[in-house]
Amino acid sequence: MKTDIILSGVGGQGILSIAAVIGEAALYDGLYMKQAEVHGMSQRGGDVQSNLRISDKPIASDLIPLGSADLIISLEPMESLRYLPYLKKDGWLVTNSVPFVNIPNYPDIKEVYAALNALPHKVMLDVENIAKEIGSVRSANIVMLGAAAPFLGIEYTKLEQGIRDIFGKKGPEIVGMNILALEAGYDVAKKLL
């Protein structure tokens, strides 16, 4: 078992929380994990990218070579395009469909959608809207994690445990909201598969 994941988005969208939950879940599943440092401006508004590698065998490098990522999880559609050269031909893209327009020359969103829709394996969803429906816009990143769950190679229950560990200090209400967010994203992905 080996899963190479690129996480991308914009600073402040919760990329680090997604990585932390996946990391905890991988440990509960008895897997090895390596994560490259987050690259980009981790302050709110800058582009952010990280490599996350999970395997049942020791991992030598934390960097994912071009053309070998099994999965791209992106909280921003243009940022998902930026990392497509890393995706395997049969890899999956799980991306937010709503742009975070933080630059003056943001490409035409119709062109972005056309490029993403050309991919054979993708899940595109409006994570903010789904998070609003369950009562917490701040959990949009965990909705995205739920949508990516079928492609991680990690048991769903281990992801739930990862959420309990990562958010436990914030109280049972926050943990419960994030578990609902995970489930909501997972349900959308299952319907699209």
Side-chain angles (χ1 to χ4, degrees):
M1 177 272 167
K2 179 181 79 68
T3 308
D4 287 342
I5 306 162
I6 301 244
L7 301 165
S8 69
V10 173
Q13 288 187 306
I15 296 287
L16 293 177
S17 294
I18 291 173
V21 172
I22 293 172
E24 285 292 312
L27 294 175
Y28 275 110
D29 229 7
L31 300 172
Y32 294 91
M33 186 201 75
K34 280 206 178 194
Q35 180 183 2
E37 283 185 28
V38 172
H39 299 282
M41 295 170 44
S42 57
Q43 67 195 36
R44 188 167 295 279
D47 68 273
V48 177
Q49 178 268 338
S50 183
N51 290 294
L52 186 61
R53 305 186 87 184
I54 301 165
S55 177
D56 57 358
K57 294 177 176 54
I59 303 164
S61 171
D62 55 1
L63 297 178
I64 299 169
L66 285 171
S68 63
D70 299 289
L71 175 63
I72 294 174
I73 302 172
S74 184
L75 285 159
E76 207 289 324
M78 182 190 73
E79 291 301 323
S80 63
L81 283 180
R82 185 186 310 260
Y83 297 102
L84 284 183
Y86 288 89
L87 192 62
K88 282 181 178 175
K89 288 189 188 295
D90 61 346
W92 280 84
L93 168 69
V94 180
T95 186
N96 189 8
S97 61
V98 178
F100 185 97
V101 181
N102 58 341
I103 54 173
N105 58 343
Y106 194 96
D108 182 304
I109 194 61
K110 289 178 186 169
E111 291 176 21
V112 173
Y113 289 155
L116 296 177
N117 283 321
L119 295 171
H121 306 294
K122 67 191 165 301
V123 175
M124 290 177 57
L125 65 163
D126 179 344
V127 291
E128 284 86 4
N129 192 46
I130 294 167
K132 263 187 225 169
E133 287 174 8
I134 61 165
S136 174
V137 176
R138 294 193 61 177
S139 62
N141 61 329
I142 304 301
V143 171
M144 181 61 67
L145 174 59
F151 314 105
L152 293 173
I154 296 174
E155 284 182 41
Y156 182 84
T157 57
K158 303 292 194 303
L159 292 169
E160 289 178 324
Q161 188 57 49
I163 285 173
R164 287 184 186 91
D165 290 350
I166 297 300
F167 296 103
K169 290 179 183 175
K170 295 185 177 189
E173 207 172 293
I174 299 296
V175 169
M177 184 58 65
N178 280 295
I179 299 260
L180 277 176
L182 184 75
E183 188 178 313
Y186 187 63
D187 288 346
V188 169
K190 286 192 304 188
K191 287 175 190 166
L192 295 174
L193 294 177

